[in-house]
Amino acid sequence: MSMDDYFTNLNDRERAIFEGAVSMGALYHQFVGTPINMDTKKSLEDAIKSSIKLQPAVVDVCVNLDEKLIADATKTSSYTSVTGDMFNVEITTKINDTSIITCIKYIEDLDYPLMFVKE
């Protein structure tokens, strides 16, 4: 059996959304709490991108950790920990000819780091 045999009950868009959601959940729970400061911001963004791109169907990852939140949190200490509101991430997944983008972004009106399907 191939991996595709386990997803015969999903169309390509549903499968792409599934893969994006799994990747987004893994990213969030793997990296929240990671020590960070302005010197390590770029390397952590690169590490997140590299690790998530290993997952099935992921074709692109854009990671931007909120520089202002990190700078503000490290004014009185040498580092802080990554929190959900620091994430601004887009993951593009592709199944056959169907691509979707899942995101996590802090939504001020909701006061929540929301995961959603962008397109």
Side-chain angles (χ1 to χ4, degrees):
M1 273 184 102
S2 76
M3 188 182 331
D4 290 337
D5 293 329
Y6 292 94
F7 296 99
T8 58
N9 59 328
L10 301 176
N11 65 40
D12 289 348
R13 179 172 167 73
E14 291 168 334
R15 171 89 186 277
I17 290 169
F18 171 82
E19 296 293 350
V22 168
S23 298
M24 192 63 72
L27 178 155
Y28 186 90
H29 291 289
Q30 180 177 354
F31 292 101
V32 165
T34 302
I36 189 171
N37 64 22
M38 292 306 295
D39 294 335
T40 64
K41 177 184 175 290
K42 171 90 168 80
S43 64
L44 182 56
E45 289 170 338
D46 291 344
I48 292 170
K49 181 178 179 175
S50 294
S51 68
I52 297 304
K53 281 185 83 169
L54 294 172
Q55 296 182 24
V58 174
V59 295
D60 194 25
V61 181
C62 296
V63 179
N64 183 16
L65 298 171
D66 191 302
E67 191 170 298
K68 182 178 180 334
L69 291 176
I70 297 166
D72 288 349
T74 56
K75 283 182 180 174
T76 59
S77 67
S78 61
Y79 77 97
T80 190
S81 295
V82 172
T83 56
D85 57 342
M86 292 178 182
F87 286 119
N88 187 356
V89 178
E90 293 187 355
I91 298 174
T92 303
T93 50
K94 184 175 181 180
I95 302 295
N96 297 318
D97 294 327
T98 303
S99 295
I100 63 100
I101 298 172
T102 52
C103 303
I104 184 170
K105 179 179 177 181
Y106 179 76
I107 307 296
E108 196 168 319
D109 291 345
L110 301 174
D111 191 26
Y112 189 76
L114 186 67
M115 293 180 196
F116 58 97
V117 177
K118 181 176 178 180
E119 54 184 66

